[in-house]
Amino acid sequence: MISGPLVEDTLYGRFSVDYRKTDGWFYNNYRQTDDELNDAKEWSVNGRLLWEVNDKLTVDTKLRYSEYEGGSIAFNAAFALPLFEAFIGPDAFIDVNEQDFVFSPNVTSPNKNNNTEISVKADYDLDWGTLSAWVLHADMEDGYIADGTSGSFGFFFDEATCIQTAMETAGFPVQSPGILTGDPNTSVWTPFSPSTCDGFQYNEHNQTDTSFQVSLTSGADQRLRWQTGIYFLDLERYVGVSQQRDDGRDNLPRNFSTDLVEALLLDTFNTDVWAVFGSINYDITDTLEASVALRYDRESRSVTSHVPSPSQQTSTYIDPCNDPAFGIGGCTLDGVPIEGSPLNPAYFVDFSTGVLRDSIPDRSEDFSEWQPKVSLAWNASENWTFFGSWGIGFKSGGFNNSGTSETVEYFLVEPGIPLGSFLLTPPGIYEKETSSSYELGFRSTLADGRLSLDGAVFYTDIDDMQFFEFYVGSFGLLRVVENIDRASLQGYELGATAYLTDNFSLSAAYSAVDGEIKEFALRTNTVGNEIPSAAEYTINVTAQYVQPLSSGMDFFTRVDYSRVGPTWFHAVQDDQVAATLQGLPASIGTDLSRSQRDAYGLFNVRVGLEAEKWRASVFANNATDEDFLGEVLVVPEFGGSFVHPGSLSERFIGVEFDYRFF
């Protein structure tokens, strides 16, 4: 990084280049390489110009460009089917924390991502206040290929390449309880296999957005202080999710316009946001401050599908129109029979009769909300401050990919009804999320500033809480936003920082959260369960020691410890549900009592020397080499979860050197 004045007292600049590369540490035992699954190569350039035009006006411009390429998928399936435990061993009903990871995909999984961001911010001093404005433009392109998850559904078993690669990989070791017999029909399939029988997936997420904000803020040195402003955002997202046939070629296509596509979700999402906001802070007395804030957001959202119609392209492998299990007996478009099935179930007018339409209708919806907030702060003494607040939070609703609801309904909900499944069809539109939050807390400074304490308790009621759910089936892998109708969160936070000597400091923070699902129409059996992805507690402790040396340098060492409590990742938790895709009713189906991630703790250590212009250090992240799970993607109707190791689940040791030129 280089920074400093370009024109004395007027123009300042900063330029930095960052490059990072790792081969990763997961081993692909089929391709016999350790540099494909979680490898990463990233570089970025950052520039900044700060122009002090005169005593009243400053203009701050920032530019960033980055490119990333690395592994995208490193999951194993953790099965939760106790019925099969007696037949195929304990890995049919495994604790997710005890997963013995084996990676053997035949498809490499490169994720490519490019980002460009440019922003300009201007502040003008009006003597009695400040006029501020900023504009930001960002462009992102992201896409990845990965092996498929659907070998066990058998829709490629008659394809020549599948038959050939199944024979070639007979007996190859894969994650338990998978067994490759050489015959697609008799093998026990686990996801991401070394054959082509599970196909591959290609996904894209491209986004362009432009936003600006203008605000007017009063001076800070007065009893009544205020701010008001407006905000605008224009955003376009292009999102595609595909299940494709693997024909064995070395370089599989990174697009949706090939005859390998067998199932496809592909949409453009447009969002326009307008917001106005304002706040007032008033010193009631010298020790008591009251604040009132209000914001209004209005979002207009729309979605347009780009999936080829049945008159343009169909699938003859993922083919419910002609699958005897669905009993349709062939599909028709405008009264004329077609070969195969549409790439997206949204083309069905009537699934039971196979009547199709030739287009997927566009959808649009507006979402809006007033968001007031009231707070009070009391400086009880020089050392103690107490505060409290109440406010309304808002997260806009939106649309899932076109065809999502139909896919879940036709492939999971309707087949699950005879099995006693609790699952209902998620709507194509998810509702806005609103919350009402209360907080009480304190801050203090003691022992002549050498000890600081802070703490707070909070309670939040949430309506239509947005929750990401994953569905797996012969359609591939779907990521769906749903609404938990009512939920609550409560907890507390405590923190402390102590300067024990002039050289040694210690800080610690602890937070605990208790969340509860109070109403969830799509999965009524989950009422009373914990809120997904909310750890029971988190702990952070930092110890730092700095010793000045006679040569003008400082020796320093820092130790950080963080601990994350047990975490459920799905609304279905200590529950047993129908394993619809395995044909098992709820009484003997998926038992997810072993799908909670255990608590884990990480130590990071850094030791080094620092002078006026340079700093050198040696560091170790996850110094104790702690194993932990990064995420657990629970898929109840599939019969288990998809799990992957944490990104820091291996010890990482490195050296850093910084030099300041100015």
Side-chain angles (χ1 to χ4, degrees), residues 224-229 276-282 289-297 369-376 388-393:
L224 177 66
R225 301 169 300 281
W226 51 266
Q227 183 188 54
T228 186
V276 293
F277 58 89
S279 64
I280 296 175
N281 295 63
Y282 182 68
E289 180 192 44
S291 302
V292 178
L294 183 64
R295 180 184 176 100
Y296 177 76
D297 280 86
E369 187 67 29
W370 289 98
Q371 302 149 72
K373 183 177 182 179
V374 180
S375 58
L376 198 65
S389 67
W390 167 83
I392 296 294

Side-chain angles (χ1 to χ4, degrees), residues 227-304:
Q227 183 188 54
T228 186
I230 60 172
Y231 169 80
F232 173 77
L233 167 69
D234 176 70
L235 182 149
E236 181 180 279
R237 290 187 299 128
Y238 178 81
V239 181
V241 180
S242 67
Q243 171 68 50
Q244 304 197 29
R245 176 168 45 89
D246 184 354
D247 62 0
R249 71 181 73 173
D250 290 333
N251 296 308
L252 293 166
R254 297 177 63 91
N255 62 71
F256 305 114
S257 303
T258 77
D259 59 0
L260 301 179
V261 175
E262 302 295 336
L264 180 61
L265 305 175
L266 185 61
D267 297 275
T268 294
F269 298 87
N270 287 292
T271 302
D272 288 328
V273 181
W274 280 100
V276 293
F277 58 89
S279 64
I280 296 175
N281 295 63
Y282 182 68
D283 295 332
I284 300 173
T285 68
D286 291 341
T287 60
L288 187 63
E289 180 192 44
S291 302
V292 178
L294 183 64
R295 180 184 176 100
Y296 177 76
D297 280 86
R298 183 176 182 85
E299 299 200 12
S300 299
R301 297 200 172 198
S302 63
V303 58
T304 300

Side-chain angles (χ1 to χ4, degrees), residues 82-253:
L83 179 67
F84 295 146
E85 190 173 14
F87 304 101
I88 58 178
D91 286 336
F93 184 35
I94 191 172
D95 186 321
V96 294
N97 301 282
E98 298 175 2
Q99 181 73 29
D100 184 14
F101 285 94
V102 177
F103 302 106
S104 53
N106 68 300
V107 176
T108 59
S109 56
N111 174 205
K112 296 182 179 181
N113 178 288
N114 298 334
N115 274 284
T116 303
E117 294 180 3
I118 183 169
S119 66
V120 180
K121 182 178 185 292
D123 294 294
Y124 187 79
D125 186 355
L126 300 168
D127 294 330
W128 51 267
T130 302
L131 178 65
S132 300
W134 58 258
V135 60
L136 168 69
H137 179 78
D139 186 81
M140 179 192 75
E141 295 181 357
D142 184 89
Y144 73 85
I145 280 180
D147 209 348
T149 62
S150 306
S152 60
F153 302 109
F155 46 76
F156 295 132
F157 284 0
D158 293 332
E159 196 266 339
T161 309
C162 168
I163 295 172
Q164 176 184 344
T165 57
M167 294 176 59
E168 293 172 349
T169 57
F172 192 87
V174 294
Q175 75 146 108
S176 181
I179 301 173
L180 301 183
T181 66
D183 182 346
N185 294 285
T186 60
S187 295
V188 178
W189 293 97
T190 52
F192 316 115
S193 81
S195 82
T196 65
C197 295
D198 40 21
F200 74 97
Q201 52 187 306
Y202 175 64
N203 299 336
E204 276 188 20
H205 181 179
N206 303 329
Q207 179 172 310
T208 299
D209 60 87
T210 301
S211 57
F212 71 81
Q213 179 174 296
V214 179
S215 63
L216 187 61
T217 306
S218 69
D221 56 348
Q222 54 194 48
R223 190 170 187 178
L224 177 66
R225 301 169 300 281
W226 51 266
Q227 183 188 54
T228 186
I230 60 172
Y231 169 80
F232 173 77
L233 167 69
D234 176 70
L235 182 149
E236 181 180 279
R237 290 187 299 128
Y238 178 81
V239 181
V241 180
S242 67
Q243 171 68 50
Q244 304 197 29
R245 176 168 45 89
D246 184 354
D247 62 0
R249 71 181 73 173
D250 290 333
N251 296 308
L252 293 166

Side-chain angles (χ1 to χ4, degrees), residues 562-579:
S562 61
R563 186 169 182 83
V564 179
T567 308
W568 295 102
F569 285 89
H570 198 280
V572 180
Q573 295 166 9
D574 222 348
D575 306 296
Q576 189 156 323
V577 299

Side-chain angles (χ1 to χ4, degrees), residues 393-650:
F394 164 70
K395 187 184 293 184
S396 177
F399 298 96
N400 289 306
N401 279 103
S402 302
T404 295
S405 296
E406 294 84 351
T407 298
V408 177
E409 179 179 359
Y410 301 152
F411 289 91
L412 294 177
V413 174
E414 292 183 0
I417 292 174
L419 303 174
S421 172
F422 287 95
L423 177 66
L424 297 180
T425 303
I429 182 173
Y430 54 90
E431 299 298 329
K432 67 181 182 182
E433 175 186 315
T434 57
S435 59
S436 178
S437 301
Y438 304 82
E439 184 179 26
L440 291 172
F442 69 91
R443 295 184 295 269
S444 66
T445 303
L446 306 171
D448 295 325
R450 302 183 74 89
L451 174 64
S452 62
L453 303 173
D454 60 84
V457 294
F458 59 87
Y459 178 82
T460 304
D461 269 323
I462 309 170
D463 290 327
D464 293 315
M465 178 181 180
Q466 292 173 11
F467 158 62
F468 287 105
E469 170 130 35
F470 288 84
Y471 294 100
V472 173
S474 56
F475 46 81
L477 178 67
L478 286 182
R479 180 176 181 264
V480 182
V481 182
E482 300 173 351
N483 290 108
I484 297 175
D485 302 79
R486 289 197 309 117
S488 66
L489 275 173
Q490 59 187 3
Y492 63 91
E493 302 170 340
L494 294 171
T497 298
Y499 295 91
L500 302 178
T501 71
D502 292 341
N503 308 100
F504 181 59
S505 63
L506 183 67
S507 64
Y510 178 86
S511 66
V513 176
D514 180 23
E516 182 182 356
I517 297 172
K518 294 185 174 181
E519 183 181 346
F520 191 9
L522 298 183
R523 293 188 181 272
T524 56
N525 59 316
T526 64
V527 172
N529 286 353
E530 296 181 25
I531 287 179
S533 302
E536 290 184 11
Y537 62 84
T538 57
I539 300 172
N540 291 280
V541 180
T542 297
Q544 183 165 289
Y545 179 78
V546 180
Q547 177 63 55
L549 303 177
S550 58
S551 56
M553 295 186 297
D554 289 338
F555 167 80
F556 66 89
T557 182
R558 177 184 174 114
V559 178
D560 295 290
Y561 175 74
S562 61
R563 186 169 182 83
V564 179
T567 308
W568 295 102
F569 285 89
H570 198 280
V572 180
Q573 295 166 9
D574 222 348
D575 306 296
Q576 189 156 323
V577 299
T580 304
L581 297 174
Q582 317 299 334
L584 300 177
S587 58
I588 56 173
T590 305
D591 184 342
L592 291 168
S593 58
R594 301 178 182 178
S595 64
Q596 183 184 42
R597 184 180 65 186
D598 287 345
Y600 66 91
L602 300 177
F603 278 99
N604 297 332
V605 180
R606 183 178 292 269
V607 179
L609 294 172
E610 184 170 15
E612 181 181 356
K613 286 188 172 293
W614 58 268
R615 173 186 172 107
S617 61
V618 178
F619 66 89
N621 292 334
N622 190 9
T624 58
D625 206 20
E626 174 88 352
D627 289 330
F628 66 98
L629 294 176
E631 192 173 11
V632 181
L633 303 182
V634 179
V635 278
E637 285 68 36
F638 174 73
S641 308
F642 289 89
V643 296
H644 71 85
S647 59
L648 297 175
S649 60
E650 298 282 344

Side-chain angles (χ1 to χ4, degrees), residues 314-315 319-333 335-342 348 350-356:
T314 59
S315 171
D319 190 10
C321 289
N322 298 288
D323 187 337
F326 292 96
I328 298 175
C331 291
T332 60
L333 177 64
V336 179
I338 68 164
E339 181 182 3
S341 296
F348 280 98
D350 185 340
F351 189 74
S352 62
T353 62
V355 176
L356 304 176

